Amino acid sequence: MKTICLYFEIHQIIHLKRYRFFDIGTDHYYYDDYENERSITYIAENSYMPALNALLEMIQQNGDYFRVAFSLSGVGMEQLEMHAPQVIEKLQELNETGCVEFLTEPYSHGLAGLANEESFKRDIEKMSDKIEQYFGKRPTVMRNSSLIYTDEIGAQVAALGYKGMLTEGAKHVLGWKSPHYVYNCNIAPNLKLLLRDVNASDDVSLRFNNSAWEGYPLFADTYINNIAACPEAEQVVNIFMELSALGIAQPLSSNILEFLKALPACAKKAGLEFLTPAEVIAKYPSVGAIDVPDTLSWVDEERDCSVWLGNQMQREAFNKLYSVADRLLIAKDPMLLQDWDYLQASNNFRFMTTKPSNATIDRGIYDGPFDAFTNYMNILGDFISRVRTLYGGIDNEELENMLTTITNQGKEIETKDKEIQRLLAKLAKYEDVKQTSSTKKSTATTKKSKK
């Protein structure tokens, strides 16, 4: 039985305000609060809530048959907490059905995996902590920002204990291979990889409402029949997209939600099943390794990282930001750490792109890439000045010693936590034995007294 794995990402841009050179050193607040509230409220009302209600209805109508997965960025969740808490409440309601899986991703929705391994690790673990806090279960599957992946990133994720990872089923990586199988990381075989089906995903997220598209109008039965027509041996069709595709990229007036709600009945009729990423990983063995020495993503025709790091401005901003990454690992200032999360967000670099793209980039307050670069660098200048004021007196050797100490302390705490869990389990087992023995003794005494 062929499997459909349906996944949605929820991330919200943090809009920066107009910040001029003369603000450096005098203004340490970098955000456009009005635009942040306006945009998240609009997306929640026109996409997130209608889409989540539709998915909940699909679960209620189809029971355990229909299953779906989500990942949320930490910066996106902070915006939801502040301006649209009903979205998180609806996600919690979906979670209670038992038909939903939550994946983890970098908290900042940033590019730390390309720059600083320790920052990347902390970004992922911080997000996993938040997912566990809200939804009661720690993720076992990870997706990087915009599905960015390399063999080295896969190895880092595997070292953190994750069982699987999502990435793009790009032709230049797959060659003759199909994305409809489970693969594994080339240098960490225990990490399984689920590859996005580009066509099946983009038919819904990019082309659904395009009347000039040869597949228009797309009906649910046609869509499912195309999936069912794949070679019988193929295992899974991974349909990955942003949740905002439902309502924003494809407006509600296009009947996108009616299309979505018709999928389970059509899939059941065609003999297909729905599973979440962790369930797919548990069910299917890997058919082999995928070799990805260079960066892979789900953006643009090149499916690489050139939209964020393709020109000199972007690389200069990126290198300057991560030049203080190690010092942020020892930071305790909550505001500084929040700014660190927000300034890492990948959209800050995407606004600076100069490459032509099929996808329209809304640059917000910026007139163009150079304007975006100038504004970001002004903010970064103030931010780095604050970091150096607090931690600039630490030389590299002292910093290395402090980071080593912090790492060792973390490992020691982890070891002690495991020991505590082991002892608690042993105590619980002892209590069970004691209770059983007491019950048997009481029963024997009762029988004896009856005699």
Side-chain angles (χ1 to χ4, degrees), residues 18-240:
R18 180 63 69 180
Y19 193 93
R20 305 191 183 281
F21 176 79
F22 296 104
D23 294 324
I24 299 173
T26 61
D27 182 3
H28 304 318
Y29 191 77
Y30 312 135
Y31 313 107
D32 186 339
D33 291 335
Y34 172 80
E35 182 57 25
N36 284 325
E37 181 176 2
R38 186 207 65 78
S39 59
I40 190 66
T41 301
Y42 178 82
I43 292 175
E45 290 177 355
N46 292 278
S47 172
Y48 292 167
M49 289 305 293
L52 293 176
N53 281 325
L55 290 166
L56 180 59
E57 182 182 331
M58 292 163 71
I59 292 172
Q60 291 169 341
Q61 290 180 351
N62 295 278
D64 289 345
Y65 172 74
F66 179 71
R67 312 182 77 77
V68 64
F70 299 94
S71 76
L72 300 88
S73 70
V75 297
M77 283 192 75
E78 289 185 17
Q79 292 293 295
L80 293 172
E81 289 166 342
M82 189 178 304
H83 302 302
Q86 70 273 18
V87 175
I88 295 179
E89 291 168 5
K90 183 60 65 175
L91 286 166
Q92 289 174 322
E93 187 179 353
L94 279 158
N95 184 54
E96 290 169 3
T97 66
C99 298
V100 173
E101 179 187 349
F102 288 91
L103 315 184
T104 199
E105 67 169 80
Y107 192 96
S108 67
H109 199 267
L111 307 173
L114 303 175
N116 188 290
E117 183 174 344
E118 191 62 30
S119 292
F120 184 52
K121 172 184 175 181
R122 293 199 177 191
D123 221 8
I124 294 170
E125 294 298 85
K126 183 178 179 181
M127 192 68 242
S128 289
D129 290 342
K130 198 171 185 73
I131 292 296
E132 187 174 22
Q133 173 193 342
Y134 272 92
F135 304 109
K137 188 176 180 181
R138 198 166 189 83
T140 60
V141 179
M142 190 257 177
R143 62 91 65 186
N144 200 4
S145 311
S146 300
L147 298 190
I148 293 172
Y149 177 82
T150 64
D151 293 332
E152 288 74 16
I153 287 175
Q156 292 173 37
V157 171
L160 295 176
Y162 293 90
K163 305 300 182 186
M165 190 169 178
L166 276 52
T167 190
E168 181 77 339
K171 263 193 168 306
H172 71 274
V173 169
L174 285 170
W176 57 268
K177 298 177 182 177
S178 167
H180 300 155
Y181 293 95
V182 175
Y183 294 93
N184 63 265
C185 174
N186 192 35
I187 56 178
N190 291 334
L191 184 79
K192 291 184 177 180
L193 301 177
L194 301 185
L195 308 184
R196 187 177 84 113
D197 183 306
V198 177
N199 289 329
S201 301
D202 289 352
D203 283 351
V204 178
S205 63
L206 297 182
R207 293 184 280 268
F208 184 81
N209 194 45
N210 181 6
S211 58
W213 172 44
E214 62 181 12
Y216 179 89
L218 180 63
F219 295 104
D221 56 351
T222 304
Y223 184 74
I224 290 297
N225 288 339
N226 288 338
I227 292 174
C230 293
E232 186 176 346
E234 295 188 350
Q235 300 168 333
V236 57
V237 175
N238 299 304
I239 304 170
F240 304 159

Side-chain angles (χ1 to χ4, degrees), residues 350-367:
R350 190 169 189 179
F351 291 151
M352 304 174 199
T353 187
T354 52
K355 65 178 289 192
S357 174
N358 293 330
T360 302
I361 298 176
D362 180 3
R363 299 184 199 264
I365 63 171
Y366 304 126
D367 297 329

Side-chain angles (χ1 to χ4, degrees), residues 441-451:
K441 187 175 181 181
S442 175
T443 302
T445 302
T446 301
K447 288 181 179 178
K448 188 175 181 180
S449 65
K450 283 183 179 180
K451 290 180 180 179

Side-chain angles (χ1 to χ4, degrees), residues 28 30 335-336 339 382-390:
H28 304 318
Y30 312 135
M335 282 304 300
L336 200 66
D339 291 338
D382 183 79
F383 175 75
I384 290 177
S385 177
R386 290 164 57 205
V387 173
R388 286 175 176 164
T389 297
L390 289 175

